[in-house]
Amino acid sequence: MSSGLFDLTGKNALVTGGAQGLGRMIAEGLLRAGATVVITSRKTDICEAAASDMAPLGKCIALPADLSTPAAAVDLAQRYRDTVGDALHILVNNAGKTWGGTIDTFPDKAWPSVMMVNVQTPFTLVRELLTELAAAGTPDDPARVINIGSIAGATTAKLSAYSYAASKAAVHMLSRDLAGDLADRNINVNAVLPGFFPTSMTAHMRDHEAVDTALLDKIPMHRMGRADEIAGTVVFLSSRAGAYITGAEIPVDGGIVGCS
Ligand SMILES: NC(=O)c1ccc[n+]([C@@H]2O[C@H](COP(=O)([O-])OP(=O)(O)OC[C@H]3O[C@@H](n4cnc5c(N)ncnc54)[C@H](OP(=O)(O)O)[C@@H]3O)[C@@H](O)[C@H]2O)c1
């Protein structure tokens, strides 16, 4: 194996929702691998504090954005160009929204906002940043788009999160569709499907750090995922080691999808 296989020095990355949760784990991993990382958060103070906290790991830039409209994605792309420049090597569409409720009362309002944040604005961001992604990619080292999906979009997780599961299945298919269309522009597109990680999205499944044993029983490896495991997958896909992978859906889930 040649050295520097996972080195991202000189690359620019944009991680939506990179201030907190899984996005923060991913941003830290990309910084440790040498990339310059732009993060978003809806709140300016949270975004700037996160960028400042991560500064010891590398160059981290805060671009606050509420990605609940396509116009916000267009605006974020323009601010990326103004702040960082004309090359984007790694785009991680991580920002996501969920909504839980029983089937009998699941509200119609739980659909548009979830589909917007989880599917449409990731698409708009890719479309608006095509020039920067194409400028960064080469046949041997393409630019990478990594869409954070979910096992909820690939298996019946029984979470009563109907619009969320449908949105994640949609973003998996969107990733494959984009991968086929963008391969000739030297842009790889993959979906990463996390299982259960300890973030605010799964807080209702935990009592402090104690995880619901019924949940752990559903995971072949009987534990939640760790920061290094989601970050490592994204670093691998972003690196020279992942250059030949496009159109893939990669579960990082302790075996839930693969063993079912
Ligand atoms: N945790 C898990 O076990 C798990 C499993 C499968 C998939 N995922 C996926 O992983 C991704 C991150 O989720 P998480 O677990 O880290 O949950 P989280 O802690 O609730 O984080 C959600 C992230 O999305 C951002 N976000 C939400 N709405 C947004 C909006 N309108 N505009 C911009 N950003 C917005 C949040 O940013 P701010 O709050 O800072 O604005 C935050 O960074 C999501 O796509 C989620 O579906 C997570």
Side-chain angles (χ1 to χ4, degrees), residues 4 9 15 18 47 56 59 72 86 90 97 100 103 109 117 124 131 159 172 181 204-205 229-231 251 256:
T9 303
V15 182
C47 204
K59 188 171 178 192
D86 57 6
I90 303 156
K97 182 179 167 76
I103 179 65
K109 69 179 180 190
V117 176
T124 302
T131 303
L159 297 172
H172 302 165
D181 287 348
H204 61 290
M205 300 171 185
E229 294 160 349
I230 193 70
I256 296 172

Side-chain angles (χ1 to χ4, degrees), residues 125-142:
L125 209 45
V126 171
R127 186 194 68 208
E128 291 299 309
L129 288 165
L130 276 177
T131 303
E132 288 69 28
L133 289 162
T138 66
D140 285 338
D141 192 7

